[in-house]
Amino acid sequence: MQPITAESALIDKNLKMAESSAEITFKKETVSKLLSSFFKDEKTKVGADAVLLMAEMLHVFVQEAAQRTIKQAEAEDCDRMDIEHFEKILPQLLLDF
């Protein structure tokens, strides 16, 4: 598998956003199970609105992480993104969310 270059990632991002941002989603069942895994009481249920809201938050979080990682790679004059770029942006990203 070839590494993703910052330029190709930006092009891919722009193409996907132009096509439709609704194409990239998280499965409702997955989000619901993820949320439910943190409940202490097994009888606690997650509402449909909460699942949709959390799915949208995850979507925004992942998009922001990708954008910041690309910018970090570009700032270091790298032609590809590595896990190190992601690790550098992660602390501030978590504070922002």
Side-chain angles (χ1 to χ4, degrees):
M1 185 171 159
Q2 284 198 340
I4 299 172
T5 64
E7 184 178 325
S8 67
L10 282 173
I11 292 170
D12 288 344
K13 178 184 145 279
N14 289 335
L15 287 174
K16 286 180 182 177
M17 287 178 66
E19 290 173 2
S20 173
S21 63
E23 290 180 29
I24 304 167
T25 60
F26 289 89
K27 292 182 182 179
K28 293 177 187 175
E29 299 83 24
T30 304
V31 175
S32 180
K33 287 181 182 180
L34 178 66
L35 288 172
S36 297
S37 70
F38 290 98
F39 296 144
K40 293 180 181 179
D41 187 4
E42 293 180 15
K43 294 180 183 179
T44 306
K45 297 193 179 191
V46 181
D49 290 341
V51 171
L52 288 175
L53 179 62
M54 189 56 156
E56 182 61 26
M57 286 295 297
L58 287 169
H59 180 77
V60 170
F61 183 82
V62 170
Q63 280 187 328
E64 185 66 23
Q67 289 174 350
R68 290 184 187 195
T69 303
I70 291 168
K71 286 181 183 178
Q72 181 66 34
E74 289 175 342
E76 296 178 11
D77 292 328
C78 294
D79 58 347
R80 61 187 177 111
M81 296 182 307
D82 290 324
I83 190 68
E84 291 83 20
H85 298 118
F86 176 71
E87 289 171 347
K88 287 178 182 177
I89 62 99
L90 187 58
Q92 187 62 47
L93 179 69
L94 293 174
L95 287 173
D96 290 345
F97 276 82

